[in-house]
Amino acid sequence: MMQTDRQGLSLNNANAEAAKHFADAIDDFNRYAGDPVSKVDAAIEAAPDFAMAHLFKAHMYATATEPGATKEAASILKHVSTLSLDEREASHAAAAAHVVAGDWTKAALQLDRHSMDWPHDALALQTGHLIDFFRANARDLRDRISRTLPQWPEDMHGRSFLLGMHAFGLEESGDYEAAEASGREAIAQNPADAWAHHAVAHVMEMQGRAEDGIGWMIAREPHWADDGNFFQVHNWWHRALFHLDLEQNAEALKLYDDHVRGEPSTIAVDLVDAAALLWRFDLQRIDTGSRWTEVADAWKEHADGALYPFNDLHAAMAYLGADRMNDVDDLLADYRSNATDVSEVGRWWHTYGLPLIEGFVAFKKGDYAAAVELLHPARYIVNAYGGSHAQRDVIDWTLMEAALRGNMQGTAEALAHERLTQKPLSPVNRSFIARAQLIG
């Protein structure tokens, strides 16, 4: 008997046991918790020719933004090529192959078309959403789900997760009211939806609602802070940002020590949070002691100057924070050799990755004029590559601080007004304008 997933799509070459493991793995993937890899491995063990299980694993590894995982994804796809694939499975394989090749937008477009043909394919939707995030395409973060959500019946399994993804896409597109409403609706249907919780936290961050944000994180902590939640470190990072915005620096530093690096992770996305938070502490002249060394050591496994520029920017922050200029120079040398037009990632290096790292290096060396010159144009990476608006703010914050420390009054005032327009009640932003007006 043909097996189907929980949305009714066929699962070729799966038996009942494999189909159950696969569906459970998708649920874990949707909620960013549990252990989807072990579950999909169990599905493959139960049905070795079950192509969708192999493809699910390829997607997870390809979007991990880690060199070792990307190699594993390529190996899985090589095996998949020996299997008999139907049209839907072949479409998944093509998308994953584009990511492995460093062509994230080709993968996103492949999955755009895929979801038009198979709108109830939850794996394609969430993988596409992740790809949109990793290439920082706010429009497709929103519209991928906008195109599909109306085609999901209210009672279809997993629909609440689409609401959470839509919330994040709406937030990144600046529609904060709709984003918060969608995120809260998703959580009302499924309190364990870590992505929806995170989307509402982003709304509060972007609107400068730091007190609301802290309350939101505390009230919902039981749903996102357990050890099995993949998003717990990132959510602790968000709470620390709220405290930083209120200039509650001791609280932010304690969150770093107890949770962001309480149990040091070597996962790239967790290292991004650690480096970005420590860099903000340094900008605020908060004593970080020896904390940089551990993070810099952990980045050595991932920062290769070839796979994903956004990660390597954060590795560079860690190397600079730890005063390891040799590691920065090695990374820049890798960048320059890989900054070609062969792949989309190669173009990201050339246009944004290299000047961003050079700008952070200039800042660290106290060459603030050069830092402003490099960071001002390179900060416009939205819809180009990497991260969320909240994550990319570390670039603007560094630019702001460079203008202040370089005594560039006109530039500093202009940048401070830019920030105040977005978050007028932020104590940090108000301190920027006050400092800028004292330059003379």
Side-chain angles (χ1 to χ4, degrees), residues 9-55:
L9 294 173
S10 62
L11 299 175
N12 296 325
N13 295 318
N15 54 35
E17 180 185 356
K20 172 67 164 57
H21 288 310
F22 179 82
D24 290 344
I26 291 288
D27 283 351
D28 281 0
F29 185 52
N30 287 158
R31 64 192 180 93
Y32 295 98
D35 190 355
V37 174
S38 69
K39 290 182 174 67
V40 80
D41 280 342
I44 292 168
E45 183 177 356
D49 292 336
F50 179 13
M52 279 305 303
H54 291 285
L55 288 163

Side-chain angles (χ1 to χ4, degrees), residues 295-378:
V295 178
D297 288 343
W299 266 118
K300 292 293 287 182
E301 180 182 347
H302 301 307
D304 64 352
L307 181 67
Y308 188 57
F310 190 72
N311 285 359
D312 285 354
L313 170 63
H314 289 79
M317 291 182 208
Y319 298 154
L320 290 168
D323 292 319
R324 286 162 47 167
M325 283 305 303
N326 286 341
D327 286 332
V328 178
D329 290 341
D330 289 344
L331 185 57
L332 286 171
D334 289 336
Y335 258 39
R336 293 182 179 112
S337 66
N338 290 311
T340 69
D341 289 334
V342 174
S343 69
E344 182 177 27
V345 167
R347 295 188 291 275
W348 288 348
W349 292 124
H350 177 73
T351 308
Y352 302 104
L354 192 58
L356 282 172
I357 291 183
E358 289 175 337
F360 275 71
V361 169
F363 180 86
K364 177 69 174 181
K365 291 181 175 179
D367 189 350
Y368 300 123
V372 169
E373 189 70 20
L374 287 160
L375 294 178
H376 179 76

Side-chain angles (χ1 to χ4, degrees), residues 249-258 281 286-288 291:
N249 298 336
E251 290 89 338
L253 191 60
K254 188 173 190 306
L255 289 171
Y256 178 91
D257 288 337
D258 291 350
F281 290 157
I286 300 167
D287 183 8
T288 55
R291 293 174 178 86

Side-chain angles (χ1 to χ4, degrees), residues 116-132:
M116 293 173 188
D117 292 332
W118 297 282
H120 299 154
D121 190 332
L123 175 60
L125 284 170
Q126 186 155 338
T127 301
H129 191 70
L130 283 171
I131 290 169
D132 294 335

Side-chain angles (χ1 to χ4, degrees), residues 4 55 65 91 100-101 139 209 211 235 250 252 259 359 386:
T4 62
L55 288 163
T65 70
S91 178
V100 169
R139 177 167 180 176
R209 294 161 55 194
E211 294 93 341
N235 279 322
H259 300 292

Side-chain angles (χ1 to χ4, degrees), residues 95-112:
H98 285 315
V99 175
V100 169
D103 289 312
W104 291 76
T105 295
K106 287 182 180 179
L109 293 173
Q110 175 70 35
L111 290 173
D112 277 352

